Amino acid sequence: PAKNLEIYGGLMASFDSIKNGDDYTLLHLVPGLEYRVSADLDFLAEVGIALNDNARSYGSVGLALYLMR
């Protein structure tokens, strides 16, 4: 299973503003994993860990289908 597993991480930053409102920044630490199920299909899972007061933590899972390789 280790050769089919990829572990990754990143930092997500979003700089947003609201019309007639305040500007705000969202910061997340995003660790995740990708597991190859077959040659054309991967399972993905990640969590976003909020790093500031404006951000909220989240979790995400999904499938990635590769149509052309």
Side-chain angles (χ1 to χ4, degrees), residues 1-63:
K3 71 178 185 174
N4 292 339
L5 182 66
E6 293 180 35
I7 298 173
Y8 61 89
L11 179 65
M12 182 175 69
S14 175
F15 306 99
D16 295 321
S17 63
I18 299 173
K19 187 176 181 180
N20 299 327
D22 294 331
D23 295 341
Y24 61 95
T25 302
L26 305 175
L27 293 172
H28 293 90
L29 178 65
V30 185
L33 61 88
E34 185 172 350
Y35 184 80
R36 176 162 295 191
V37 178
S38 69
D40 298 327
L41 184 67
D42 289 354
F43 170 78
L44 301 118
E46 67 181 38
V47 294
I49 302 166
L51 296 178
N52 65 351
D53 291 338
N54 293 326
R56 295 187 181 223
S57 297
Y58 68 89
S60 176
V61 296
L63 297 172

